[in-house]
Amino acid sequence: MTDSSGFRGLVLGAAAGGGLPQWNCGCQNCRLARDPASGVRPQSQSSLAVSIDGDNWAILNASPDIRQQMIDNSVLHPRTLRDSPVKSVLITNGDIDHLAGLLILREKQPLDIFVTAAIGEIIDDNPVFRALDPAFVRRHAIVLEQPFALLPGLEARLFAVPGKVPLFMEDGEPELQLEGEQTVGVELKVRGKRVYYIPGCAYVGDALKARIDGADALLFDGTVFTDDEMIATGVGQKTGQRMGHMAISGPEGSLAALSELDIAEKIYVHINNTNPIWRAGPERAALEESGFQIGYDGMEIDFDTNT
Amino acid sequence: MTDSSGFRGLVLGAAAGGGLPQWNCGCQNCRLARDPASGVRPQSQSSLAVSIDGDNWAILNASPDIRQQMIDNSVLHPRTLRDSPVKSVLITNGDIDHLAGLLILREKQPLDIFVTAAIGEIIDDNPVFRALDPAFVRRHAIVLEQPFALLPGLEARLFAVPGKVPLFMEDGEPELQLEGEQTVGVELKVRGKRVYYIPGCAYVGDALKARIDGADALLFDGTVFTDDEMIATGVGQKTGQRMGHMAISGPEGSLAALSELDIAEKIYVHINNTNPIWRAGPERAALEESGFQIGYDGMEIDFDTNT
């Protein structure tokens, strides 16, 4: 155990589902990411690790890339014969990019998993997740708005944000901007400091603005820059809204909505492979000029909470 | 399309479930694999890619590491805006290290999936696999011993090998050395050349010996060197047999059984993180002296089938 106490955040994966590059995509970003000389580095699927002592970590969203993410980040390496600094995992929705990594966390390692009842039902409905032996893995059903200890000394709270059910559970056209237990944001509190993690969000309304205003850090859904980006890139038929994600740009976009607020660090994460902010250009420059940061694998968001 | 025709095999992942290093393991091999200076390189989870023209590929077992495996092997990169050289996927059992990668292969890409009816049932019983849109992904129920085209010009045949049901489907003590559709080996035939892929096998009996004798190449279950290896290493309570895998060494081991046979290339794959053959030492030397090769990520097994 170290004596220092603070908030430590570590972006394990900054990309949205599919990652950068995505296996079957030859778009400009994916081609650049496959070329080590391009300056555009590969980015893995959406996940954030947090700690307050640097020794015990919680993982927010279990990406399919979690095994490589743990190899790449030495703070997550085991220190004894069978061990992991990862003590808990929290899942913010049932999408494959946030859920599938649970399958990697088999291996009879004690672990606390925190999910809403709705996300817990998805896990229960898929016997493959029985790989997580309940003798070692304790699952906690978290009620919205009720604080709980994600790690000793790290208080968390889940709240509904507009979203939709996972793609594999769609039955006809899904309700968009659904608010409930399907898609949640996370509030983390350490000694008065507030950090918000919202990797999926279809709309920023007044209640959400009021909640996150004054935060010390916000990691927010940066899936698409423009709502029709996938269509314009020629890689798909779906808008950002249809996927449950609001665009960054435009009058209804997150850039405009979040710029009104007093938030010390604003970081886009869950960035789709098609998003132009992965490369140098006017879109990336616009964000940086507005005081936003673009997340990347290995990014650290640390601050001392004693001050 | 190239004019040359031959058999091309590419080991995408040489390690067993969990990979090397495994996320929560601090055994000697895992520690070495986390140290770039050790000479023991990380190895990803069990998968083999095969092709006869170098342009169209089939993947045998969809490892959870498939996204990184596709990044690491340029022959699998897309060549147009949405594309993949991977045309088909075959699954040899329902274990997570062979099945979970299917979740990565969503994204509306045409794909043929070949499985036995029993393995297909596992997929059907887990709604998360609905992420594979049937409008793009065709699933073929393969009958044991019936030849089928895994790729145009590449004939394959599945056969039962002794194994057990996946861990997450165990209900009490499972039947070991169960022979049926749960665990299969694969025969690949190209112009008279025969290649066998058997990443999980609990016992080599006379019928299996007769089948694989005279083969041009065999990729075989190298999970553990000794049956009690995990217990002796202190990382678990299970024997190799309890996990559905025969040991390499010993009078009942695969080294003895396979050494009797006339097989041009014998390669161990699906090697557990605890297996001493990952590092230099008497166990590795014994295999190499007996004419066996130790698989590794990126290993190529190519031969011209025109000769």
Side-chain angles (χ1 to χ4, degrees), chain A residues 11 14 46 48 159 161-162 185 195-205 208-209 212 217-224 244-248 252-258 261 263 265-272 275 277 287 292-295 301:
Chain A
V11 176
S46 177
L48 174 72
F159 52 90
V161 292
V195 176
Y196 292 90
Y197 173 63
I198 309 174
C201 185
Y203 178 70
V204 177
L208 182 55
K209 283 182 189 168
I212 63 180
L218 167 67
L219 296 103
F220 195 81
D221 182 346
T223 310
V224 289
H245 299 284
M246 66 192 297
I248 293 174
E252 301 293 317
S254 59
L255 180 60
L258 300 173
L261 307 176
I263 299 174
E265 292 202 60
K266 289 169 288 191
I267 302 160
Y268 279 116
V269 292
H270 195 277
I271 304 167
N272 198 49
N275 195 319
I277 66 173
L287 296 198
F292 286 73
Q293 300 173 67
I294 292 118
I301 307 118

Side-chain angles (χ1 to χ4, degrees), chain A residues 17-27 34 43-45 64-65 67-68 70-71 76-78 80-84 86 96-97 100 103-107 109 111 125-128 130-131 168 230 233-235 273, chain B residues 17-27 34 43-45 64-65 67-68 70-71 76-78 80-84 86 96-97 100 103-107 109 111 125-128 130-131 168 230 233-235 273:
Chain A
L20 177 73
Q22 180 176 302
W23 72 284
N24 65 335
C25 190
C27 77
R34 288 190 190 96
Q43 305 288 334
S44 63
Q45 293 169 88
D65 300 320
R67 188 179 161 265
Q68 189 64 44
M70 289 173 135
I71 292 175
L76 303 182
H77 292 177
T80 58
L81 186 57
R82 281 283 157 126
D83 170 64
S84 177
V86 176
I96 284 171
D97 60 334
L103 297 175
I104 308 297
L105 299 178
R106 63 200 194 283
E107 315 293 3
Q109 185 67 38
L111 199 65
D125 286 347
N126 286 276
V128 71
R130 290 184 202 152
F168 64 84
M230 291 187 64
T233 313
V235 300
N273 63 301
Chain B
L20 177 74
Q22 180 175 303
W23 72 283
N24 65 334
C25 190
C27 77
R34 288 190 190 96
Q43 304 288 334
S44 64
Q45 293 170 87
D65 299 320
R67 186 178 162 266
Q68 189 63 44
M70 289 173 136
I71 291 175
L76 303 182
H77 292 177
T80 58
L81 186 57
R82 281 282 158 128
D83 170 63
S84 177
V86 176
I96 284 171
D97 59 334
L103 298 174
I104 308 298
L105 299 179
R106 62 199 194 282
E107 315 292 2
Q109 185 67 39
L111 199 64
D125 286 346
N126 285 277
V128 70
R130 291 183 201 151
F168 63 85
M230 291 188 63
T233 313
V235 300
N273 63 300

